[in-house]
Amino acid sequence: MFHLVCGIIGFCTLSKTPLAQSPGSVLFKGLKRLEYRGYDSAGVAGVYQGKLIVLKGKGKLDELEEKIRLSSVRGYTVIGHTRWATHGIPNDVNAHPQTDCRNEIAVVHNGIIQNYRELRQFLVERGHVFESDTDTEVIPHLVEEFYREFNDLYTAFKQAIKMLKGSYAIAMVSTIEPDKIFFARKDSPLVIGLGNGYNFVASDIPAFLEYTNRVIIVYDDEIGYITSTNVFLENIGSGVVDWSKRVRVVEWSIEDASKSGYPHYMLKEIMEQPRALRDTLYGLLSDVVVDEAVSILLNSRKVFITAAGTSFHASLYYSLLSSILLGKPVIPFIASEYMVYSPIASSGDTLIVVSQSGETIDSLMALRAFKKKGVRVIAVSNVVDSAIPRESDVALYTRAGPEIGVAATKTFTTQVLLLTFLALKQGSSIGRFSESEYREYIGLLKKVPEFSREVLASTEDIVKELAKWLSRKKSIYYLSRGIGLPIAMEGALKLKEIAYIHAESYPAGESKHGPIALVEKDFPVLFVIPPIDYLEELLLGNIQEMKARGATIICVLSEKSNLIDQCHYPIKTPHTHWLLTPFTHTIPLQLLAYYTAVVKGLDPDKPRNLAKTVTVE
Ligand code: F6R
């Protein structure tokens, strides 16, 4: 599964290869090839005449090239990085490479070091001085620390890697051994490119595809180094790897490669959800800001939650969870309707604003109107330091990585995960459930990445078949009840926006109050059925009402549901606790929208009339 957070590239070259004529330009071009991954800052490092040169800053590559001439970096061993902020706002200091105290070791990193606080403390106690707010900076300092002890750079690097918990792809250069790039990987992609007199490491193949198509995919828990003529690779537990059997020749174009072999970003992003969910959860588990948000919420009179589009569906889900789990009302509203709600807000209240981009103008306007009333604001975003988090009192982040497809997919499920975690923390703080119940709930959340992986594997084929049938329809209802409703709404929105099929979602019990008039033979009605007995019973009645009018029934439901036989097209998901419904039941709906668009010959990444970030009112 490929990881879209940050981009790494580095290479070692002999002095007589074409790359050696201008290593800085080759590096810069490689970084440009990684631009599609999204980033907010960038930097490079080279070892030249025994010294480390580091150039880095906040901004886009072209701006930085103009300001600090990234491509002027010298040396035959160079690394570069595009950063998508996760720990520490995007600024010059937090940009990578990060260095040690003596400026001898430079590291670029992709992923999240979960235990960086403990490591930082350990290092500060040993006299290390930190400059940035990043989790990454612990790595060069750890290597520095262990180099003092072992006096061998690779041993020190390996020792440092063993201390890390989390996900990472790492590349490191040092003046101590200037002809090597050290690397390590866990749960974050890293590939080696084999050249003639030069070798690359990068987080993705397009970064070096122009120079070589012979690659070795580095696996989890592998570590090693490259020189201009050699590769050393080992598994951190089981020892040296004979990589010669793993060399692959890539025959894709650069464009194909940036989608990691998927035909569209949307599919790639759907498939990335297990990783995105895991990074988000583990990011939250080590984030003290969550406690600040919880304390604000617990001390609030009224709580509002607002957003637009998909983010609104996540918000609606949170408001339902708050009623069910906490017995506390939360008022959800669509951001562009803020003028109806801001008059009833006052200081002592809290507004949660959910926006993956952090820039949606409707949500920003709502935020500003509420701030004027003295309301405290908690932002939930996927883009560190974007406008909405910046203007909020507290910012919580999903760690989905940049989303390039216009339709929100992984940002939705990660938002729901974050908001569920927030509700659980609130519940535990006010004693709504015991310590052991809380631990059980968190244990359930830890299973979300695995469940989402299973759902992806078990539903894709059936959904593909169904898409062929659905692609011929003009209209469909998405019905559900309770916590299933925001999921049905999200499924309908996805289908509408990328497959251009009229999809309407509403509470199943409402059918008989009007919408059922449209139902006739073969009219598609999709039911989202959460694994909750009393909802199943109620939904059974609604399915029968629809069937009696000739509707074709599609259901997304647990593999253990009693309603499977009631559906013409059951999409069965692994059975689990109802709290995981947004993950098990949303993913097949994303796939359904995607494949329906593909069958219709549409480009799901670029639906008509839509933009990724809506900054006009
Ligand atoms: C749907 C979609 C939009 C966004 C909406 C809010 O797939 O992408 O409906 O959800 O424009 O965007 P953010 O979350 O960036 O505020």
Side-chain angles (χ1 to χ4, degrees):
M1 217 61 65
F2 275 77
H3 199 182
L4 257 184
V5 189
C6 311
I8 290 176
I9 175 170
F11 63 88
C12 300
T13 178
L14 295 175
S15 60
K16 38 186 198 294
T17 72
L19 276 70
Q21 308 209 323
S22 178
S25 314
V26 175
L27 196 65
F28 186 74
K29 246 202 288 180
L31 287 172
K32 292 285 284 182
R33 293 280 187 211
L34 294 170
E35 250 186 333
Y36 74 93
R37 300 161 72 93
Y39 67 104
D40 45 55
S41 37
V44 295
V47 186
Y48 184 63
Q49 294 185 341
K51 288 222 158 50
L52 196 63
I53 306 169
V54 175
L55 300 167
K56 61 179 190 172
K58 178 183 171 183
K60 294 289 165 198
L61 285 167
D62 289 335
E63 287 158 33
L64 289 169
E65 180 61 2
E66 200 138 285
K67 259 201 325 224
I68 52 172
R69 295 257 310 128
L70 291 176
S71 69
S72 68
V73 68
R74 310 280 294 264
Y76 297 140
T77 301
V78 288
I79 52 174
H81 188 257
T82 49
R83 172 173 189 250
W84 168 269
T86 56
H87 284 288
I89 59 166
N91 63 21
D92 293 349
V93 179
N94 289 340
H96 297 197
Q98 294 292 325
T99 49
D100 65 323
C101 299
R102 299 149 62 103
N103 212 35
E104 290 181 339
I105 298 166
V107 169
V108 292
H109 160 226
N110 177 3
I112 294 171
I113 307 300
Q114 282 154 19
N115 59 336
Y116 82 100
R117 280 207 184 77
E118 293 102 274
L119 294 175
R120 192 165 165 136
Q121 171 125 23
F122 162 85
L123 289 159
V124 167
E125 280 162 14
R126 278 159 187 75
H128 292 260
V129 179
F130 281 76
E131 287 184 352
S132 78
D133 304 320
T134 62
D135 51 344
T136 304
E137 197 182 346
V138 297
I139 305 168
H141 289 284
L142 275 176
V143 178
E144 180 187 14
E145 181 65 27
F146 291 126
Y147 184 69
R148 270 186 220 152
E149 195 178 328
F150 297 105
N151 208 28
D152 175 73
L153 195 55
Y154 184 63
T155 311
F157 179 65
K158 202 158 143 183
Q159 200 61 28
I161 298 300
K162 284 185 179 162
M163 305 280 289
L164 306 179
K165 290 205 181 104
S167 61
Y168 46 80
I170 293 167
M172 178 185 98
V173 293
S174 171
T175 53
I176 304 168
E177 293 196 33
D179 58 342
K180 287 188 180 127
I181 297 178
F182 299 84
F183 63 81
R185 169 197 163 138
K186 178 149 209 311
D187 291 332
S188 201
L190 196 68
V191 285
I192 295 172
L194 300 173
N196 229 337
Y198 53 84
N199 287 316
F200 282 91
V201 286
S203 44
D204 220 344
I205 295 164
F208 57 67
L209 196 53
E210 198 177 329
Y211 301 97
T212 179
N213 62 355
R214 295 197 314 130
V215 305
I216 306 166
I217 309 282
V218 179
Y219 298 157
D220 278 346
D221 295 318
E222 286 186 337
I223 177 169
Y225 55 81
I226 56 166
T227 66
S228 51
T229 52
N230 196 11
V231 174
F232 176 76
L233 185 67
E234 69 172 318
N235 178 289
I236 203 152
S238 57
V240 181
V241 169
D242 174 8
W243 51 262
S244 61
K245 296 193 192 85
R246 295 217 324 237
V247 179
R248 287 203 340 226
V249 176
V250 168
E251 272 152 22
W252 326 316
S253 68
I254 284 179
E255 167 70 354
D256 290 342
S258 60
K259 290 177 191 154
S260 308
Y262 290 105
H264 298 102
Y265 285 114
M266 183 178 174
L267 184 59
K268 177 174 189 282
E269 286 158 2
I270 291 173
M271 294 297 176
E272 260 174 3
Q273 287 177 108
R275 193 279 308 153
L277 289 161
R278 201 205 42 226
D279 278 359
T280 298
L281 182 63
Y282 285 96
L284 288 168
L285 287 169
S286 63
D287 192 348
V288 285
V289 181
V290 184
D291 296 327
E292 246 179 88
V294 167
S295 127
I296 292 180
L297 288 166
L298 294 182
N299 293 305
S300 298
R301 270 207 296 266
K302 288 195 286 298
V303 176
F304 298 83
I305 187 163
T306 196
T310 290
S311 299
F312 177 70
H313 300 147
S315 307
L316 192 58
Y317 182 79
Y318 172 78
S319 76
L320 297 175
L321 265 193
S322 183
S323 303
I324 297 167
L325 284 181
L326 311 175
K328 194 174 155 95
V330 167
I331 304 166
F333 68 91
I334 288 190
S336 54
E337 290 292 305
Y338 69 87
M339 61 301 253
V340 183
Y341 295 87
S342 58
I344 56 167
S346 54
S347 72
D349 295 344
T350 299
L351 174 71
I352 307 175
V353 185
V354 183
S355 169
Q356 75 81 17
S357 63
E359 303 284 347
T360 299
I361 191 73
D362 294 329
S363 310
L364 196 56
M365 299 296 281
L367 180 158
R368 288 177 182 158
F370 274 67
K371 280 218 100 168
K372 271 203 194 122
K373 305 290 298 274
V375 170
R376 275 168 306 181
V377 178
I378 298 170
V380 173
S381 181
N382 193 42
V383 182
V384 175
D385 213 32
S386 50
I388 290 168
R390 254 194 337 258
E391 295 191 25
S392 299
D393 298 282
V394 167
L396 301 176
Y397 292 107
T398 51
R399 290 175 166 86
E403 197 170 57
I404 294 166
V406 166
T409 52
K410 60 177 179 168
T411 54
F412 173 73
T413 47
T414 51
Q415 282 168 351
V416 172
L417 184 66
L418 184 153
L419 291 165
T420 304
F421 182 70
L422 189 62
L424 292 176
K425 277 227 138 180
Q426 282 172 263
S428 127
S429 308
I430 54 172
R432 271 298 277 201
F433 18 84
S434 66
E435 191 47 40
S436 73
E437 277 171 317
Y438 174 69
R439 274 203 304 273
E440 254 174 61
Y441 278 135
I442 297 298
L444 266 177
L445 291 194
K446 288 187 177 164
K447 290 190 185 144
V448 165
E450 203 37 52
F451 269 105
S452 60
R453 203 184 299 278
E454 277 179 39
V455 176
L456 284 165
S458 64
T459 61
E460 191 178 7
D461 288 344
I462 163 155
V463 161
K464 250 191 211 170
E465 277 307 305
L466 187 58
K468 291 184 196 152
W469 173 81
L470 187 57
S471 65
R472 297 192 296 269
K473 298 288 172 186
K474 288 216 157 46
S475 207
I476 176 171
Y477 284 151
Y478 279 65
L479 307 184
S480 190
R481 288 175 179 257
I483 53 128
L485 189 59
I487 302 165
M489 292 167 79
E490 176 56 11
L493 177 64
K494 287 290 88 93
L495 190 75
K496 232 182 305 212
E497 66 181 335
I498 62 164
Y500 311 153
I501 292 176
H502 169 243
E504 205 177 320
S505 171
Y506 55 88
E510 274 288 289
S511 325
K512 53 191 178 294
H513 298 288
I516 202 165
L518 286 187
V519 177
E520 54 187 0
K521 190 165 166 13
D522 295 336
F523 187 95
V525 181
L526 186 150
F527 282 88
V528 173
I529 305 174
I532 301 175
D533 288 346
Y534 83 95
L535 286 186
E536 283 211 349
E537 271 169 41
L538 290 169
L539 286 166
L540 173 61
N542 302 125
I543 292 176
Q544 282 165 347
E545 277 162 15
M546 290 294 165
K547 271 170 81 175
R549 271 100 192 151
T552 301
I553 308 296
I554 307 152
C555 302
V556 182
L557 75 189
S558 149
E559 63 199 358
K560 294 204 176 140
S561 168
N562 294 325
L563 304 190
I564 294 176
D565 295 341
Q566 299 292 325
C567 318
H568 298 108
Y569 293 105
I571 303 173
K572 290 181 266 181
T573 62
H575 185 73
T576 176
H577 193 280
W578 67 264
L579 202 59
L580 304 199
T581 311
F583 314 102
T584 52
H585 288 40
T586 305
I587 289 172
L589 299 182
Q590 297 169 341
L591 287 169
L592 183 61
Y594 171 78
Y595 280 114
T596 308
V598 170
V599 174
K600 291 182 77 174
L602 303 167
D603 179 354
D605 284 342
K606 294 193 200 80
R608 68 184 177 213
N609 306 337
L610 297 175
K612 186 69 190 161
T613 308
V614 183
T615 51
V616 286
E617 252 186 297

